[in-house]
Amino acid sequence: MVFNWRRLVFGKPFPTQHAHHTRLPNSLALPIFASDALSSVSYATEEILLVLATVAVSHQVLQVSWPIALAIALLLGIVATSYRQTIHAYPQGGGAYRVSRENLGLGAGLVAAASLLIDYVLTVAVSISAGVAAITSAAPYLQRYTVWLAVAFILFIAVANLRGAKESGLLFAIPTYLFIATITTMIVVGIVRMALGHQLTPPQPPEGSWARGAETLTFFLVLRAFSSGCTALTGIEAVTDGVPAFRPPEAKNAARVLAILGVILISMFVGITYLAHQLHVIPFPADMEGPHAHRQTVVSQIAYAVFGGGWFYFVIQGATAMILILAANTAYVDFPRLSMFLAEDRLLPRQFANVGDRLVFSNGIIGVTILSILTVVAFGASAHHLIPLYALGVFLSFTLSQSGMVVRWLRLRPHGWQLNAGINALGAAATFVVLIIIAVTKFMAGDPIQFFPLTTSLGLWLVGTAMGFVLISMYHRWMGKWFLGLAIAGFLAAWPLLHFQPLAMVEVHLGAWLVMVAIPTVVWMCFRVNAHYKAVADHLTMDRYVGVPDFKHTVLLVVSGLHRGIMPAVKYARSMGDDVRAVYVEIDPPKTATLLDRWHHWVPDVPLVVLESPYRSLVEPLLAYIDDVEKERDDDIITVVIPEFVTEKWWTKLLHGQNGLLLQWALRYRRGVVVTNIRYYLDSPGQQAAFQHPLTSHLE
Amino acid sequence: MVFNWRRLVFGKPFPTQHAHHTRLPNSLALPIFASDALSSVSYATEEILLVLATVAVSHQVLQVSWPIALAIALLLGIVATSYRQTIHAYPQGGGAYRVSRENLGLGAGLVAAASLLIDYVLTVAVSISAGVAAITSAAPYLQRYTVWLAVAFILFIAVANLRGAKESGLLFAIPTYLFIATITTMIVVGIVRMALGHQLTPPQPPEGSWARGAETLTFFLVLRAFSSGCTALTGIEAVTDGVPAFRPPEAKNAARVLAILGVILISMFVGITYLAHQLHVIPFPADMEGPHAHRQTVVSQIAYAVFGGGWFYFVIQGATAMILILAANTAYVDFPRLSMFLAEDRLLPRQFANVGDRLVFSNGIIGVTILSILTVVAFGASAHHLIPLYALGVFLSFTLSQSGMVVRWLRLRPHGWQLNAGINALGAAATFVVLIIIAVTKFMAGDPIQFFPLTTSLGLWLVGTAMGFVLISMYHRWMGKWFLGLAIAGFLAAWPLLHFQPLAMVEVHLGAWLVMVAIPTVVWMCFRVNAHYKAVADHLTMDRYVGVPDFKHTVLLVVSGLHRGIMPAVKYARSMGDDVRAVYVEIDPPKTATLLDRWHHWVPDVPLVVLESPYRSLVEPLLAYIDDVEKERDDDIITVVIPEFVTEKWWTKLLHGQNGLLLQWALRYRRGVVVTNIRYYLDSPGQQAAFQHPLTSHLE
């Protein structure tokens, strides 16, 4: 059953020998590595406008978006140029983890790796959420299913990736090119129509959506808008990771693709922001509620204005949704690969390095799926609420990676290293400045969540514990008064805490601080994992091994009576050593005498030990007896042989006690005891004959 | 943890030697055996009136309740007298199962047993539901928690019984006497006040609750009212089961208690019906709904009329609730005991004969708890809706038990047997007639439930299957067209079924037919269980046993590499036989050569078998190899030794694959293979030293 189901969903397993690197032509490499970076232009402009709109919705204020966009475009150019150097320096693939670790040390490498892992999860969550928003802009009746749609898309991408990356490459090329083509068309048509003097009116949010003059335009707010827009840079580093996937000359092809990607990215982002600016687009508030609240994205507003809601509008919305949902695919390629690197370096559980049925790193894929679904559900699939958490990790890894390159140039000093180091130093400096801006402006920019303050939590905990003591005092009469005393003390201690500060809540805003906490946590976990693997390796090394001492077998055969089913187990036990004892736990004392008689008649050479069990427990007397046997000799190993019935039909299992399983469970953590199950099949006579096995009682 | 929790709720375990029969004085035996029988008077009258009220609410029609009550009182007298004979004939306890089985055969015995088991479950459900109704009559704001209250009370009784019967006896005596006293007081005060000419006005249901003249008073309806009232007889047989619990002379004391019980029962039932009749009580409809629908029971109406809602009214309601809830206790004593009898006769799973920690039949108690909670939840804790199912089983067991007695008299023919046989024959005849009346009048008297008709079900199944085929056709391209064809055929076949008869529902009324189906089902299950136990016993008998043939050990040691952790397992495996082979599944081929070198160096005397695994599966190549090994020789037993890591902390488990467990699971149903786990502890060095076990690699 399970196997058939797996085949159906994931396809037939691939043999190991089929593993080979599919070299990608540039035309396929571009969409595969670019979808993440390109997709972010669909929401970057909107995020800038959403910050500015809180100030006051006047077109003058929104004009500020234009210089901000130009600054981001400049940053994009610097980062792309800087990364081209990394490609040439690391033709075997120069992810931030590798570059940082090699040049700055394990700690820096792990910080970069942790930032990237967190960021891949956020990439999935943000892209999927924005993609669903593009769909619900065009089809508002789907708005109530937002979270469900997001989860469904994540699962779809997960299945596609578990089936293998080869197929995904082809599957994801078309939407990327469609997105580039449609957005470019929109920008060109928009500019042409404006030049021709057409009146283009974008849909605007309902009156009163934005409180006028609520805040003033401060420099801080401009920086915040800038850092929101910096999400446009996310995903640009993907090409550097994947250099070996290009056709030779790999580095040259990869650098060319990165250059093309940079140009497309800058043009599209600047184009969209220019149109928004010229068309006086006012964004819809992120949290529109109410029965008729039909929220539109900024791209949707522009497309509507340019094409007037015709069929091309729906094509743009569809292409946007597709590239956003498929942009998550980049994270689905990167997260498992980075986890694999970390697992091979014994910094993450080794299971992440296992190759699955279809030659993909299934555990990494499953990991990113679970984490991103949790994120999407927690944030209600709202891209806007995820953005404050998003870009920090990217820029931290940018900074580390570029700094690593600078250190590398200073170390190797090849011909013309000064220029190269200068470019990377500029990249590092620029991304570091942005990192600081993001950290400061987005620190608590997100949704508020509510906690009990510490005092209230302590009070509630005291009340709960005191109620537990009351319960205990009701049952344990002789020491009840002590527990009652403790309970009263607990209630008294809780009183001031809960009385003087009633159930108030403390409000904490989500934001970049969450990522700042998460990154060191992940780094710490990786160090712990590494320490464990090192300890195990040290423990298991053969270096100082001199041998296992000799031992004798003591075999305990647990019996519940004497019948044909246990005779093979008796024979098996006897074959293992000389000290074999049958052990019988006496639940019903009157039956013991008969059993002893029969035992001596049928099995005269194995002694039967009868264990009293005053409380009718099977396990406890047996454990006590094992203790006694262990004290008898030092050089023996106790093997507990448990004969087990196997019945033919499922329901007949219920007619026999599951004592074998119970015993196995109880002995599971019992040191120095080896457990052996001897199964005995209760077949119908026909089947019994068909299966001739030595461990079967022979009949006359 | 688990043990402490058990101790807290269920108390300390009792040793077996404490098992002794607590002999009950008559004053304690009466409440213990009577609560079930007595409690039914609190709803029997109401059930009669509810049937009559559907005809037309005129006091003339409700007068019919009076002759019906007298007929039931007569029946009660006959049955009680008849059962007194059973007590004398079976001083060791004469339950319907034993009497029927002994005199009428196993089939009749099983029918009686099945009826009783079903009836015990219904007793719990009906009593608890009626008890909760008594509470909500007095405290209407609790009405919305009806089902929760009922479940909570069932769990309370279950815990009390799991703690042991001795305590329950004392706990349940007080409410019974309180109930007898208060109801008697109510009847006496009521009659006296009416004689004094006081004006007593019971609360009546709101106007329009009953449609006037909806049905006419037919003979069938009178019979239905009569059979509803017959619930007053339920529980009267309890004394005959428990004769050995009385003080000597047991039979005499038991007969005396039964006589007293009969008298009390008849007086209370007749008294309540008389008052209802004199006070012109109109019952509240069973299904009152709406925000202010405060339903009262008939006893509540009478008590209110007699005492005018003073404190004594609340005492009566409280006592009624208590006795009803505790009446369920009778079933909690009887169900486990009858299950134990059946289990000892190998007609039910043997676990029902196990004595628990506190010397009670825990599994029977758990069984009746689960079944009665399911019933209460399914019927919304409405006693009225359960009544149609209720009395049938009781009267079937009455009839069988009395008929068994008649057969016994005819067989043994002691002095004066004619009179005795006559009494029992009268009892059997009377209860048989009532049985038929109940079966006919209550056959479909209950709530309607809705089903899809067969055609619709078939159509829906076809659609579901066809959709499955569509899914399959999407993935398996080369045979997709076949699956698509099947899918289309499925849709076409479903079309007429669903088109010409859209999703209509068929309505079926619950009622006594459910019990008529359930009884033979239970009987059939008991026969199946019995057949299985007989087959096993036949299989396991030593009668024709001649011995187990000699065999050789083939030991397969599964290794994932060479390290100190597996060396004890190597030694253990080698100690078991000469044919020991280490088996290595090659997941990562490049590593194999090194492993082979190291293996030959460290373990030169055990060959290492390398199994290819093109699909990187661990289990499948191993199973295939076991197949091969089995074909090599006929006289060997394969023991698979699996070395297993045990790590110190829970989280470190996650850092190692669970291949050992996986393998054990895969081999679980593999015939003729013995699985042995050798655990290796990955301790910190300090702990390692503290635990000196032979199965540990020694170090220099």
Side-chain angles (χ1 to χ4, degrees):
Chain A
M1 269 311 285
V2 173
F3 265 72
N4 287 339
W5 171 82
R6 284 174 61 93
R7 290 273 157 99
L8 182 66
V9 179
F10 302 115
K12 275 190 288 188
F14 291 145
T16 311
Q17 72 216 36
H18 282 197
H20 57 270
H21 292 288
T22 320
R23 293 306 184 100
L24 297 165
N26 289 358
S27 56
L28 262 184
L30 179 69
I32 284 181
F33 292 111
S35 59
D36 181 15
L38 287 176
S39 66
S40 51
V41 304
S42 72
Y43 50 80
T45 305
E46 177 167 341
E47 290 301 326
I48 297 173
L49 293 179
L50 277 172
V51 174
L52 295 176
T54 55
V55 178
V57 181
S58 67
H59 302 309
Q60 285 70 40
V61 169
L62 290 178
Q63 306 285 332
V64 185
S65 66
W66 183 230
I68 290 174
L70 291 181
I72 291 170
L74 178 67
L75 183 65
L76 240 163
I78 293 172
V79 171
T81 314
S82 182
Y83 263 122
R84 275 171 62 94
Q85 311 233 66
T86 309
I87 289 175
H88 286 292
Y90 287 89
Q92 71 279 41
Y97 167 61
R98 175 178 284 181
V99 175
S100 312
R101 186 175 175 172
E102 202 174 300
N103 300 301
L104 304 173
L106 176 62
L110 270 179
V111 170
S115 320
L116 285 174
L117 288 179
I118 291 167
D119 229 73
Y120 293 143
V121 172
L122 290 170
T123 299
V124 177
V126 169
S127 309
I128 296 283
S129 303
V132 170
I135 293 175
T136 54
S137 287
Y141 53 91
L142 288 174
Q143 240 154 7
R144 73 169 93 168
Y145 304 113
T146 304
V147 174
W148 289 106
L149 280 172
V151 171
F153 283 126
I154 292 177
L155 290 176
F156 170 77
I157 298 175
V159 171
N161 277 279
L162 285 170
R163 284 181 69 91
K166 206 168 50 178
E167 281 142 320
S168 348
L170 280 165
L171 184 61
F172 295 119
I174 298 155
T176 309
Y177 282 117
L178 186 66
F179 178 73
I180 296 174
T182 51
I183 294 287
T184 310
T185 309
M186 179 183 83
I187 294 168
V188 171
V189 172
I191 291 172
V192 169
R193 288 192 66 185
M194 278 196 295
L196 295 174
H198 291 194
Q199 185 63 35
L200 304 182
T201 329
Q204 300 288 18
E207 271 302 310
S209 294
W210 297 103
R212 277 173 192 277
E215 290 188 42
T216 47
L217 184 68
T218 57
F219 184 60
F220 183 79
L221 224 91
V222 173
L223 287 184
R224 180 179 276 186
F226 170 76
S227 56
S228 290
C230 281
T231 49
L233 272 80
T234 56
I236 197 163
E237 80 290 356
V239 177
T240 55
D241 295 337
V243 185
F246 284 82
R247 286 199 178 148
E250 290 89 353
K252 210 167 174 185
N253 279 321
R256 188 174 298 158
V257 165
L258 181 57
I260 298 171
L261 171 62
V263 171
I264 298 177
L265 203 53
I266 291 173
S267 340
M268 282 168 65
F269 173 62
V270 170
I272 287 175
T273 315
Y274 177 74
L275 278 182
H277 166 244
Q278 290 297 318
L279 296 172
H280 306 305
V281 167
I282 300 168
F284 283 64
D287 284 319
M288 278 185 63
E289 277 177 26
H292 300 291
H294 169 203
R295 188 177 190 281
Q296 289 202 37
T297 63
V298 166
V299 171
S300 167
Q301 288 170 288
I302 297 172
Y304 200 91
V306 172
F307 298 105
W311 62 271
F312 204 81
Y313 165 75
F314 287 97
V315 172
I316 288 180
Q317 289 306 102
T320 310
M322 272 198 284
I323 197 171
L324 277 162
I325 286 167
L326 301 182
N329 194 56
T330 315
Y332 264 92
V333 176
D334 291 342
F335 186 99
R337 186 172 45 195
L338 181 53
S339 317
M340 183 268 286
F341 287 146
L342 292 170
E344 281 192 341
D345 294 350
R346 295 284 179 265
L347 293 159
L348 275 187
R350 60 204 293 168
Q351 288 93 326
F352 284 109
N354 290 353
V355 179
D357 274 4
R358 301 273 287 189
L359 291 171
V360 292
F361 300 104
S362 317
N363 290 322
I365 294 174
I366 293 166
V368 69
T369 305
I370 292 172
L371 292 173
S372 55
I373 286 180
L374 288 178
T375 312
V376 159
V377 170
F379 285 81
S382 158
H384 177 71
H385 289 124
L386 283 161
I387 292 282
L389 282 67
Y390 189 25
L392 189 80
V394 181
F395 278 86
L396 182 52
S397 72
F398 282 173
T399 309
L400 285 170
S401 154
Q402 305 307 316
S403 313
M405 285 302 291
V406 174
V407 171
R408 187 173 182 278
W409 296 125
L410 290 173
R411 187 159 45 84
L412 300 179
R413 303 191 183 225
H415 178 67
W417 66 273
Q418 292 90 340
L419 176 65
N420 294 331
I423 293 173
N424 283 130
L426 178 63
T431 50
F432 181 69
V433 170
V434 176
L435 174 67
I436 299 298
I437 293 174
I438 294 174
V440 171
T441 61
K442 297 287 179 183
F443 191 73
M444 286 180 120
D447 268 352
I449 45 170
Q450 297 195 312
F451 291 105
F452 282 125
L454 199 66
T455 47
T456 314
S457 311
L458 184 66
L460 289 174
W461 179 80
L462 278 169
V463 168
T465 313
M467 282 164 71
F469 282 134
V470 169
L471 204 75
I472 295 172
S473 71
M474 284 163 62
Y475 279 104
H476 292 260
R477 270 170 226 146
W478 62 273
M479 52 192 301
K481 57 186 170 194
W482 292 105
F483 283 108
L484 209 61
L486 281 172
I488 291 166
F491 284 123
L492 287 178
W495 171 256
L497 292 171
L498 294 175
H499 182 72
F500 296 112
Q501 192 179 37
L503 297 185
M505 304 292 268
V506 173
E507 204 166 74
V508 176
H509 282 261
L510 296 180
W513 66 267
L514 251 177
V515 178
M516 294 183 207
V517 171
I519 290 174
T521 309
V522 174
V523 171
W524 175 78
M525 274 167 49
C526 290
F527 275 122
R528 285 291 304 269
V529 167
N530 191 236
H532 171 76
Y533 279 126
K534 272 192 186 143
V536 168
D538 183 57
H539 202 100
L540 294 181
T541 175
M542 296 295 281
D543 288 352
R544 295 177 298 144
Y545 171 77
V546 288
V548 179
D550 290 332
F551 59 82
K552 286 209 168 66
H553 281 289
T554 304
V555 185
L556 302 182
L557 172 70
V558 183
V559 297
S560 61
L562 174 65
H563 52 69
R564 224 163 67 202
I566 64 157
M567 299 314 284
V570 171
K571 183 125 185 176
Y572 188 94
R574 219 153 39 185
S575 76
M576 287 181 65
D578 294 327
D579 187 359
V580 179
R581 314 169 192 184
V583 181
Y584 172 72
V585 180
E586 177 187 64
I587 306 264
D588 192 2
K591 289 184 184 164
T592 309
T594 326
L595 175 68
L596 276 170
D597 280 352
R598 293 185 67 218
W599 189 269
H600 292 315
H601 174 249
W602 286 104
V603 198
D605 50 348
V606 173
L608 180 69
V609 180
V610 176
L611 304 177
E612 287 185 11
S613 177
Y615 297 104
R616 299 167 303 286
S617 158
L618 179 75
V619 170
E620 281 153 29
L622 202 65
L623 291 180
Y625 182 66
I626 290 174
D627 279 339
D628 292 344
V629 173
E630 264 174 359
K631 282 179 204 136
E632 281 178 27
R633 279 203 305 270
D634 272 350
D635 65 339
D636 65 330
I637 287 179
I638 299 174
T639 301
V640 178
V641 176
I642 305 175
E644 192 185 359
F645 278 172
V646 182
T647 57
E648 214 178 332
K649 303 191 190 85
W650 66 266
W651 64 270
T652 51
K653 264 200 197 39
L654 302 176
L655 302 182
H656 302 277
Q658 298 299 308
N659 287 333
L661 268 181
L662 188 73
L663 209 54
Q664 227 177 323
W665 187 252
L667 291 172
R668 197 170 159 72
Y669 294 103
R670 178 77 208 212
R671 295 206 159 201
V673 171
V674 176
V675 177
T676 298
N677 273 72
I678 310 280
R679 280 155 298 168
Y680 184 76
Y681 290 85
L682 290 173
D683 288 324
S684 50
Q687 274 186 277
Q688 183 86 35
F691 179 74
Q692 278 303 337
H693 184 265
L695 274 189
T696 312
S697 301
H698 274 208
L699 302 177
E700 284 179 272
Chain B
M1 270 309 286
V2 173
F3 265 73
N4 287 341
W5 172 83
R6 286 174 59 94
R7 291 271 156 100
L8 182 66
V9 179
F10 301 116
K12 276 191 286 188
F14 291 146
T16 312
Q17 72 216 34
H18 283 197
H20 58 272
H21 292 287
T22 321
R23 294 306 183 99
L24 298 165
N26 288 359
S27 56
L28 262 184
L30 178 70
I32 284 181
F33 292 111
S35 59
D36 181 16
L38 287 176
S39 66
S40 52
V41 303
S42 72
Y43 51 80
T45 305
E46 177 167 340
E47 290 301 324
I48 298 174
L49 293 180
L50 277 171
V51 173
L52 294 176
T54 56
V55 178
V57 182
S58 67
H59 301 310
Q60 286 71 41
V61 169
L62 290 178
Q63 306 286 330
V64 185
S65 66
W66 182 231
I68 290 175
L70 292 182
I72 291 169
L74 178 65
L75 183 65
L76 238 163
I78 293 172
V79 171
T81 315
S82 183
Y83 264 122
R84 276 172 61 94
Q85 310 235 66
T86 309
I87 289 175
H88 285 293
Y90 288 89
Q92 72 278 42
Y97 168 61
R98 176 178 283 181
V99 175
S100 311
R101 184 173 178 174
E102 202 174 300
N103 299 301
L104 304 173
L106 177 61
L110 270 180
V111 170
S115 320
L116 285 175
L117 288 179
I118 291 167
D119 228 73
Y120 293 143
V121 172
L122 290 170
T123 298
V124 176
V126 168
S127 307
I128 296 284
S129 303
V132 171
I135 293 175
T136 55
S137 288
Y141 53 90
L142 288 174
Q143 239 155 8
R144 74 169 92 170
Y145 304 113
T146 304
V147 173
W148 289 107
L149 279 172
V151 170
F153 283 126
I154 292 177
L155 290 175
F156 169 76
I157 298 175
V159 170
N161 277 279
L162 284 170
R163 285 181 68 91
K166 204 168 52 178
E167 281 142 318
S168 351
L170 280 164
L171 184 61
F172 294 120
I174 298 155
T176 310
Y177 283 117
L178 185 67
F179 178 72
I180 297 174
T182 51
I183 293 289
T184 309
T185 309
M186 179 183 82
I187 295 168
V188 171
V189 172
I191 292 171
V192 168
R193 286 192 66 185
M194 278 196 293
L196 296 173
H198 291 192
Q199 185 62 37
L200 304 183
T201 327
Q204 299 289 17
E207 271 302 310
S209 296
W210 296 102
R212 276 172 193 278
E215 289 188 42
T216 47
L217 183 67
T218 57
F219 183 60
F220 183 80
L221 224 92
V222 172
L223 287 183
R224 180 178 276 185
F226 169 76
S227 56
S228 290
C230 280
T231 48
L233 274 81
T234 56
I236 196 162
E237 79 290 356
V239 177
T240 55
D241 294 336
V243 184
F246 284 82
R247 286 198 178 149
E250 289 88 354
K252 209 166 174 184
N253 278 322
R256 186 173 298 157
V257 164
L258 181 58
I260 297 170
L261 170 62
V263 171
I264 296 177
L265 202 53
I266 292 173
S267 342
M268 283 168 64
F269 174 61
V270 169
I272 288 175
T273 315
Y274 176 75
L275 277 182
H277 167 244
Q278 290 297 318
L279 296 172
H280 306 304
V281 167
I282 301 168
F284 283 64
D287 285 318
M288 277 184 64
E289 278 176 25
H292 300 291
H294 169 202
R295 188 176 190 281
Q296 289 202 35
T297 62
V298 166
V299 170
S300 166
Q301 288 170 287
I302 296 173
Y304 201 91
V306 172
F307 298 104
W311 63 271
F312 204 79
Y313 164 75
F314 287 98
V315 172
I316 289 180
Q317 288 306 103
T320 309
M322 273 198 282
I323 196 170
L324 277 163
I325 286 167
L326 302 182
N329 194 56
T330 316
Y332 264 91
V333 175
D334 290 342
F335 186 101
R337 187 171 46 194
L338 182 52
S339 319
M340 182 268 285
F341 287 145
L342 292 170
E344 282 192 341
D345 294 350
R346 295 283 178 266
L347 292 159
L348 275 187
R350 59 204 295 169
Q351 288 93 325
F352 284 109
N354 290 354
V355 179
D357 274 5
R358 300 274 285 190
L359 291 172
V360 292
F361 300 105
S362 316
N363 290 323
I365 293 173
I366 293 166
V368 69
T369 304
I370 293 172
L371 292 172
S372 54
I373 286 180
L374 288 178
T375 312
V376 159
V377 170
F379 285 81
S382 156
H384 176 70
H385 289 126
L386 284 161
I387 291 282
L389 282 68
Y390 189 27
L392 190 81
V394 181
F395 277 85
L396 182 52
S397 73
F398 281 174
T399 308
L400 284 170
S401 155
Q402 305 307 316
S403 312
M405 287 301 292
V406 174
V407 171
R408 186 173 183 279
W409 296 127
L410 289 174
R411 187 159 46 84
L412 298 179
R413 302 189 185 230
H415 178 67
W417 66 272
Q418 292 90 342
L419 177 65
N420 293 331
I423 293 173
N424 282 129
L426 179 63
T431 50
F432 181 70
V433 169
V434 175
L435 174 68
I436 299 298
I437 293 175
I438 293 175
V440 171
T441 60
K442 295 286 179 184
F443 190 73
M444 287 180 119
D447 268 353
I449 46 170
Q450 296 196 312
F451 291 105
F452 282 125
L454 199 66
T455 48
T456 314
S457 312
L458 185 65
L460 290 174
W461 179 80
L462 279 169
V463 168
T465 314
M467 283 164 70
F469 282 133
V470 169
L471 204 74
I472 295 173
S473 72
M474 283 163 62
Y475 280 106
H476 292 259
R477 272 170 224 148
W478 62 272
M479 51 192 302
K481 57 187 170 194
W482 291 105
F483 283 108
L484 210 60
L486 281 172
I488 292 167
F491 284 123
L492 288 179
W495 172 255
L497 291 172
L498 294 175
H499 182 72
F500 296 113
Q501 192 178 36
L503 297 185
M505 303 291 269
V506 173
E507 204 166 73
V508 176
H509 283 261
L510 296 180
W513 66 268
L514 251 178
V515 178
M516 293 182 207
V517 171
I519 290 173
T521 308
V522 173
V523 171
W524 175 78
M525 273 167 49
C526 290
F527 275 121
R528 285 291 302 271
V529 168
N530 191 237
H532 171 76
Y533 280 126
K534 272 191 186 145
V536 169
D538 183 56
H539 203 101
L540 294 180
T541 175
M542 297 294 283
D543 288 352
R544 295 177 299 144
Y545 171 77
V546 289
V548 179
D550 290 332
F551 59 81
K552 287 206 167 69
H553 280 290
T554 304
V555 185
L556 303 183
L557 173 70
V558 182
V559 298
S560 60
L562 174 65
H563 52 69
R564 224 163 66 202
I566 65 158
M567 299 313 283
V570 171
K571 183 125 186 175
Y572 188 94
R574 218 152 41 184
S575 77
M576 286 181 66
D578 295 327
D579 188 358
V580 179
R581 313 170 192 184
V583 181
Y584 172 71
V585 180
E586 177 187 64
I587 305 264
D588 193 1
K591 288 184 185 164
T592 309
T594 326
L595 175 68
L596 275 171
D597 281 351
R598 293 185 68 219
W599 189 270
H600 291 315
H601 174 250
W602 286 104
V603 197
D605 50 347
V606 173
L608 179 69
V609 179
V610 176
L611 303 178
E612 287 185 10
S613 177
Y615 297 103
R616 300 166 302 286
S617 159
L618 179 75
V619 171
E620 280 153 29
L622 202 66
L623 291 181
Y625 181 67
I626 290 174
D627 279 339
D628 292 345
V629 173
E630 264 174 358
K631 282 179 204 136
E632 282 177 27
R633 280 203 305 269
D634 272 349
D635 65 339
D636 65 329
I637 287 179
I638 300 174
T639 301
V640 178
V641 176
I642 305 175
E644 193 186 359
F645 277 171
V646 182
T647 56
E648 216 178 331
K649 303 190 191 84
W650 66 267
W651 64 270
T652 52
K653 261 198 200 39
L654 302 175
L655 303 183
H656 301 277
Q658 299 298 308
N659 287 333
L661 268 181
L662 188 72
L663 209 56
Q664 226 177 325
W665 187 252
L667 291 171
R668 197 171 158 70
Y669 293 103
R670 178 77 209 210
R671 296 204 157 201
V673 171
V674 176
V675 176
T676 298
N677 272 71
I678 310 279
R679 279 156 298 168
Y680 184 76
Y681 290 84
L682 291 172
D683 288 322
S684 51
Q687 275 185 278
Q688 184 85 36
F691 179 76
Q692 278 303 336
H693 183 264
L695 273 190
T696 311
S697 301
H698 274 209
L699 301 178
E700 284 179 272

